[in-house]
Amino acid sequence: MQIIDYPQIGEKLYSAVLPNGLEIRVVPKKDFATYYAAFATNYGGAHRRFSVDGRELDTPAGVAHFLEHKMFDMPNGDNALTVLTENGADPNAFTSSGMTCYYFQCTDKFEENLRMLLHFVSTPWFTEETVKKEQGIIGQEIRMGEDNPGIAIYYNLLELLYEHHPIRDRVAGTVESISEITAQTLYDCHKVFYAPSNMVLCVEGDVEPEDIVRIASEELSEELAPVPKANFGEAESLLPVSNLRRVQMEVSAPQFLIGAKLPSSRGGVESMRERITATLALRMLCGSSSTFYTRLYAEGLLNPSFDYEVDLSADTVTVILGGESKNPDKVLEEFNKEVKRIVAEGFDPGLFMRSKRASHGARLRGLEDFENVCVSLASGVFEGYCALDSFDILEAVELEDCRLFVQNNLSPERLAMSVIEPRK
Amino acid sequence: MEYTRKELMPGVFLTHLRSDKFKTACMSVNLLTQLQRETAAMNALIPQVLRRGTARYGDMEQLSRRMDELYGTAIEPTIRRIGEIQCLGFFASFPEEEYLPSGEKLLSEAAALMAELLLAPNTRGGLLLPDYVESEKEKLLDLIRSRVNEKRGYALSRCIEEMCCFEDFSVSRFGTEDEAENIHYKKLTKHYRKLLQSSPVELFYCGKSEYKQVQSVLKDAFAAMPRGEIDYDIGTDVRMNAVEDRVRYVEEEMDVTQGKLVMGFRMGECMDEPDIPAIYVFNAIYGSGANSKLFMNVREKLSLCYYASSLVLIKKGLMLVSSGIEFDKFDEAKNEIFAQLEAVKNGEFSPEELETAKRSVSSELRSAMDSQGELEGFWLSQALEGLEYGPMELAELVEDVTRDDVMAIARSIEPDLIYFLKGLEEEETDDADN
């Protein structure tokens, strides 16, 4: 196994690739009772069209998420969720646009639970009957999402920004699209995307890294399957499709999200550097200690719900910021002014130094969270970087990089705003 | 983890947990006061107003700038409702020195800033700034009104409100809209000064620093804390029985596509001397988690809903079952939720279900030892009742819970109020295509 030591943050990362292509990452933690394991596939809601072995395939929206639900059914009639829970673990799964991740946390019988995790995720078992039943359950989940302003405002923004990239599609699909899913769709997609060569296993806890490699080799197929290639369509222009969308919902105050799409991810350490630079620039531009935020907060235009992020998913990079405001248009206007000022004047060097410190502290805090560590490691593997390098990369970001990020990506014509207003 | 607890000043207690395993240390200060309709909104507002600026760091920009300098030390207002005690204060988290490039020790700086936030606000003529108070008041009102945005949480809080309409518990941790609207900066300043003098105070620390050092740093930081007669007469009134003989029913209409059913129960006579581990195990069997009866039957077997789970508010002796359903599944879901409770009462659960529930409860308690946030919450809650056992001890007690213990809890529970959030009655309209 390859060992990378990170003495400045007190962690060691063990990495290995099995002959079947599975990437393994282990962060041993002495003195902790908790074990955490995440088994993830580079397959999410956006992977609808793909090619494998020279075949082109097109699938309905919502298959990755549907699969996630159905993976827990086992051929012997058991449910993996039940089995793991009976064994004292706390298992769950999530599907995002870019990945599907199965995970559990436990304090006891880690090896048994890990074997179970690897086993059930690599053992498909679907029947027309169980698929039909799940259409009812997921239909409810989709309906629940329809009443959720947070989900609506997010997808409205993505639809404003992206013309055709499948990141626009709801991860869960629609009631109509999931009605097209059959057991065979699930078997096909499982075979393509759940091969070890397309997956990663991340473990954190008081474990011996070599044991993880051994267990994974014993539980998984030895075959090295071809890695599917997703087709996200033509590259998109950097301009949004449209700049503004307002809808009314049952909310108490207007909610808004402002977004910009960035050039698609180049992958590797470069994409991580870009993301860290962008996040640092946003911290200085509109973070909790920025002039922009504190002034608008004091004026009553923003409140603590305001947040920002740089989201890397399925080759897309999207800047998203927003929250609640009685006047989103005014916020956007002020944001544009601030961007203009920064482009002209640059960031204050004192602010830059303090923001780096604050970001270092926030990243350290992130290391306390096993789920955060394992999931970041997994997405890092899919994107081609190592999440624990973020401390060094942050240190190397330069002041001018941040100004350039703002200049190159946040001008008014690049922005779109999604607003949800209270019903009149 | 070494646990130490001592009174540092009159009515000011420090709970200290020494641990080497975290990258950051955490610290909190909480003023404890009785939850009441008249004062809840004022109490909720105080930490928010204090967070706007101190004597030394007059506004948010200067404060945030200071926290950034201290490597992103985060000191945020907290407002909690534990039973009918309202806890207001600050939670701080800051990096341990060995993980900082400069090797700086942040303990005394962070403690000083936290104490300054609580004790030395930016004032004019001794009064909290009207500007800060008004602006935070607006935000508090927004927050109170915003509960409607998230329907599942909204339905839960509405059920509590209706079920406990004669009890202080009906008031949320943020207080009520009416009371918040009437807050005036002079009145708020007076209330703040009174709280500082009379509230019992809980300090918490978890990190690498030794008890002696932490207590001396905190004693210095809080030296200016005014202490008068301490109001120890705070607590939670636990009502054992349903308010009426018949289960009350409240429904509300809103423009939603999915109905939210919340059923409110009283834990009943078991609250006389609550067997905490047994209540946890009961809840795990009945309705929390993926192996519970509610999940397995209401969701998995009958596909009645996307979620169905139970929640026990142990300090107040309440249980809430919440479920998201189609509007016309109301009766079916309700009947099934009652039927599953009946099943637990009758001991219709396998030895495996009991074991699973015990394992999941004890695992959750043991993993709390790995999270400073969980530990802080756990120990604050223990402090309110003068209890000194930790999560590990509680996890061991869970091992001894028997089938009879669980059945006894289930038998003690009685339904009080059912709340249903449903869609607007559809109006008869002609289809435009026809």
Side-chain angles (χ1 to χ4, degrees):
Chain A
M1 284 192 105
Q2 191 198 354
I3 307 168
I4 310 176
D5 195 4
Y6 295 90
Q8 74 278 29
I9 52 168
E11 303 290 4
K12 275 197 175 77
L13 175 68
Y14 291 71
S15 313
V17 192
L18 296 188
N20 60 17
L22 179 75
E23 293 277 357
I24 297 178
R25 300 289 179 274
V26 182
V27 180
K29 296 288 264 190
K30 294 268 173 250
D31 304 326
F32 282 78
T34 307
Y35 299 88
Y36 187 95
F39 190 28
T41 159
N42 191 1
Y43 177 45
H47 296 77
R48 290 182 49 194
R49 280 173 291 279
F50 50 91
S51 56
V52 63
D53 266 347
R55 282 188 306 149
E56 286 284 335
L57 289 149
D58 197 343
T59 56
V63 177
H65 174 259
F66 204 103
L67 249 181
E68 175 220 306
H69 274 235
K70 283 335 289 167
M71 280 318 299
F72 291 95
D73 290 354
M74 306 199 339
N76 62 3
D78 280 349
N79 180 293
L81 213 55
T82 313
V83 178
L84 280 163
T85 309
E86 278 171 2
N87 210 37
D90 184 7
N92 213 331
F94 69 83
T95 309
S96 64
S97 295
M99 72 154 98
T100 312
C101 181
Y102 300 81
Y103 59 90
F104 70 84
Q105 180 179 310
C106 69
T107 54
D108 197 15
K109 300 188 187 170
F110 172 71
E111 179 168 340
E112 274 177 52
N113 290 324
L114 179 62
R115 284 185 188 278
M116 184 63 205
L117 174 74
L118 295 165
H119 173 69
F120 91 81
V121 175
S122 52
T123 312
W125 174 251
F126 320 112
T127 68
E128 292 309 334
E129 191 195 337
T130 60
V131 167
K132 204 164 167 55
K133 197 176 140 204
E134 200 65 24
Q135 278 158 344
I137 293 177
I138 296 180
Q140 280 290 315
E141 186 178 351
I142 293 171
R143 308 265 284 165
M144 192 159 80
E146 286 169 4
D147 289 335
N148 183 324
I151 294 179
I153 198 172
Y154 173 74
Y155 282 107
N156 286 350
L157 178 70
L158 291 181
E159 286 172 11
L160 286 172
L161 290 174
Y162 291 93
E163 196 187 345
H164 55 72
H165 192 289
I167 195 167
R168 303 166 89 243
D169 302 328
R170 279 159 178 69
V171 170
T174 62
V175 174
E176 295 74 43
S177 75
I178 63 167
S179 71
E180 296 169 34
I181 296 172
T182 64
Q184 195 55 46
T185 324
L186 299 182
Y187 277 113
D188 291 346
C189 290
H190 184 274
K191 187 169 185 336
V192 172
F193 288 103
Y194 282 64
S197 53
N198 197 46
M199 299 188 74
V200 52
L201 172 66
C202 300
V203 172
E204 191 168 10
D206 191 1
V207 296
E208 290 299 330
E210 301 294 344
D211 290 343
I212 308 300
V213 173
R214 178 177 51 77
I215 293 166
S217 314
E218 287 166 10
E219 291 297 330
L220 300 174
S221 136
E222 288 173 10
E223 188 196 344
L224 176 62
V227 178
K229 176 140 181 38
N231 176 0
F232 299 127
E234 299 280 307
E236 299 225 357
S237 100
L238 288 177
L239 295 173
V241 185
S242 172
N243 295 93
L244 181 66
R245 182 154 174 204
R246 290 179 208 275
V247 296
Q248 297 191 346
M249 281 182 87
E250 202 75 54
V251 292
S252 60
Q255 324 272 314
F256 73 100
L257 286 181
I258 298 171
K261 70 181 147 177
L262 307 190
S264 67
S265 160
R266 283 183 271 171
V269 93
E270 194 47 38
S271 72
M272 188 195 201
R273 209 186 65 82
E274 281 171 3
R275 184 184 182 182
I276 288 174
T277 306
T279 311
L280 186 62
L282 287 168
R283 178 187 276 274
M284 293 191 283
L285 184 68
C286 60
S288 60
S289 48
S290 67
T291 318
F292 170 79
Y293 175 75
T294 51
R295 185 167 62 79
L296 269 59
Y297 183 100
E299 289 172 8
L301 281 168
L302 291 178
N303 66 29
S305 68
F306 182 79
D307 206 357
Y308 60 89
E309 64 171 348
V310 182
D311 189 30
L312 216 77
S313 189
D315 279 1
T316 62
V317 190
T318 316
V319 169
I320 299 178
L321 49 113
E324 193 180 287
S325 172
K326 58 187 178 202
N327 191 347
D329 298 286
K330 181 78 181 149
V331 175
L332 179 61
E333 187 188 320
E334 292 297 326
F335 183 75
N336 284 331
K337 275 192 212 159
E338 188 64 2
V339 166
K340 198 171 163 196
R341 186 181 72 82
I342 294 300
V343 171
E345 299 172 13
F347 288 111
D348 170 57
L351 170 67
F352 179 65
M353 185 273 294
R354 289 191 302 272
S355 298
K356 268 194 176 180
R357 284 186 165 201
S359 179
H360 181 92
R363 283 170 195 284
L364 273 178
R365 205 167 292 131
L367 291 178
E368 308 278 28
D369 180 349
F370 285 23
E371 175 165 346
N372 171 51
V373 170
C374 289
V375 173
S376 324
L377 283 169
S379 37
V381 169
F382 298 147
E383 292 285 336
Y385 60 78
C386 171
L388 291 181
D389 290 337
S390 66
F391 291 87
D392 287 341
I393 292 175
L394 173 69
E395 211 38 55
V397 173
E398 294 191 12
L399 181 59
E400 178 61 6
D401 300 337
C402 294
R403 193 194 66 83
L404 280 174
F405 162 78
V406 175
Q407 175 175 309
N408 293 340
N409 298 293
L410 301 181
S411 50
E413 73 279 6
R414 291 281 299 279
L415 306 181
M417 182 162 76
S418 159
V419 178
I420 286 183
E421 292 169 337
R423 281 190 211 287
K424 299 225 165 73
Chain B
M1 231 174 261
E2 299 153 47
Y3 164 86
T4 315
R5 181 174 164 84
K6 277 187 186 142
E7 187 169 5
L8 293 192
M9 295 160 59
V12 181
F13 299 85
L14 168 62
T15 300
H16 176 274
L17 292 182
R18 219 201 68 76
S19 168
D20 279 328
K21 67 187 188 184
F22 300 107
K23 315 268 178 220
T24 53
C26 86
M27 204 159 53
S28 72
V29 57
N30 276 286
L31 305 183
L32 314 182
T33 180
Q34 190 68 39
L35 176 74
Q36 280 163 342
R37 184 169 295 271
E38 298 72 36
T39 51
M42 279 202 286
N43 293 335
L45 194 57
I46 287 170
Q48 304 295 340
V49 171
L50 298 179
R51 182 64 175 71
R52 289 298 294 273
T54 69
R56 251 198 309 173
Y57 306 101
D59 60 25
M60 265 177 57
E61 190 169 8
Q62 292 178 53
L63 263 175
S64 306
R65 186 181 165 135
R66 177 64 181 148
M67 293 192 204
D68 284 357
E69 268 167 10
L70 300 174
Y71 287 91
T73 288
I75 309 183
E76 295 307 331
T78 54
I79 179 84
R80 282 174 272 199
R81 172 179 76 172
I82 305 180
E84 283 164 352
I85 297 176
Q86 206 179 0
C87 311
L88 55 130
F90 293 94
F91 183 94
S93 141
F94 51 94
E96 296 281 9
E97 58 192 288
E98 61 180 290
Y99 303 115
L100 293 178
S102 59
E104 235 170 288
K105 191 154 180 63
L106 301 175
L107 172 65
S108 30
E109 303 288 359
L113 189 52
M114 187 170 84
E116 187 174 334
L117 277 162
L118 186 70
L119 305 175
N122 189 355
T123 52
R124 197 174 303 129
L127 295 170
L128 295 167
L129 302 187
D131 177 27
Y132 286 0
V133 173
E134 277 310 305
S135 138
E136 289 306 321
K137 188 169 113 180
E138 285 309 311
K139 291 190 167 72
L140 179 65
L141 281 165
D142 287 346
L143 191 66
I144 294 172
R145 292 175 190 135
S146 74
R147 70 172 179 159
V148 70
N149 297 358
E150 204 275 300
K151 304 294 179 289
R152 184 175 180 171
Y154 173 76
L156 273 169
S157 73
R158 285 285 299 123
C159 180
I160 294 176
E161 215 169 76
E162 294 288 346
M163 178 159 64
C164 302
C165 58
F166 303 118
E167 296 150 83
D168 289 333
F169 202 68
S170 61
V171 179
S172 93
R173 67 195 168 114
F174 300 125
T176 63
E177 208 171 322
D178 288 349
E179 303 300 329
E181 267 166 0
N182 288 323
I183 294 175
H184 182 265
Y185 75 100
K186 284 188 183 157
K187 199 170 98 188
L188 188 70
T189 307
K190 207 173 143 197
H191 185 67
Y192 158 68
R193 303 261 179 237
K194 194 180 126 223
L195 270 185
L196 276 189
Q197 287 188 5
S198 61
S199 301
V201 177
E202 284 294 330
L203 293 167
F204 177 86
Y205 170 89
C206 175
K208 287 189 192 206
S209 300
E210 301 288 346
Y211 174 80
K212 273 185 80 165
Q213 192 189 5
V214 173
Q215 67 100 31
S216 116
V217 163
L218 285 171
K219 255 188 173 165
D220 280 356
F222 285 89
M225 176 108 201
R227 295 275 74 189
E229 194 177 324
I230 311 296
D231 182 9
Y232 288 112
D233 188 19
I234 52 175
T236 303
D237 182 23
V238 177
R239 189 192 165 91
M240 303 287 181
N241 305 332
V243 172
E244 289 175 21
D245 291 340
R246 266 180 39 202
V247 179
R248 290 174 289 164
Y249 175 70
V250 174
E251 71 174 31
E252 197 172 343
E253 284 183 9
M254 216 182 258
D255 188 2
V256 291
T257 53
Q258 189 189 62
K260 307 285 178 204
L261 166 64
V262 183
M263 299 170 57
F265 297 79
R266 303 278 174 177
M267 295 299 291
E269 64 205 18
C270 73
M271 289 304 293
D272 253 344
E273 267 178 69
D275 181 347
I276 310 270
I279 293 175
Y280 282 164
V281 174
F282 156 77
N283 189 41
I285 291 180
Y286 178 54
S288 82
N291 277 34
S292 66
K293 291 209 172 285
L294 291 183
F295 187 90
M296 296 304 282
N297 293 287
V298 187
R299 174 175 145 136
E300 293 292 311
K301 206 169 107 200
L302 301 172
S303 294
L304 280 172
C305 63
Y306 176 62
Y307 67 87
S309 63
S310 65
L311 167 77
V312 171
L313 300 169
I314 212 157
K315 292 271 192 302
K316 179 65 186 166
L318 301 182
M319 177 174 79
L320 298 158
V321 173
S322 99
S323 177
I325 55 174
E326 295 283 348
F327 306 130
D328 59 2
K329 295 278 169 53
F330 174 82
D331 284 320
E332 236 179 306
K334 181 188 78 179
N335 293 340
E336 189 59 25
I337 288 166
F338 277 137
Q340 292 305 323
L341 183 59
E342 208 54 37
V344 183
K345 280 186 192 172
N346 298 333
E348 291 162 27
F349 50 91
S350 64
E352 290 75 28
E353 280 177 275
L354 178 62
E355 277 317 301
T356 300
K358 283 159 76 166
R359 263 202 289 271
S360 110
V361 171
S362 96
S363 176
E364 200 171 306
L365 287 164
R366 277 182 277 148
S367 60
M369 300 296 288
D370 293 341
S371 154
Q372 290 174 321
E374 297 273 333
L375 285 166
E376 193 262 352
F378 182 92
W379 284 110
L380 177 61
S381 172
Q382 293 294 81
L384 298 185
E385 314 244 310
L387 300 173
E388 297 230 334
Y389 58 84
M392 292 305 265
E393 286 95 326
L394 195 50
E396 273 161 36
L397 293 174
V398 166
E399 305 299 332
D400 302 333
V401 173
T402 66
R403 162 176 298 273
D404 287 342
D405 296 339
V406 172
M407 287 163 63
I409 300 294
R411 286 185 179 142
S412 153
I413 294 175
E414 54 178 281
D416 189 343
L417 184 136
I418 295 174
Y419 170 88
F420 189 43
L421 178 65
K422 60 179 197 176
L424 300 172
E425 292 291 342
E426 283 193 17
E427 290 166 38
E428 296 288 327
T429 48
D430 290 326
D431 197 332
D433 291 340
N434 288 344

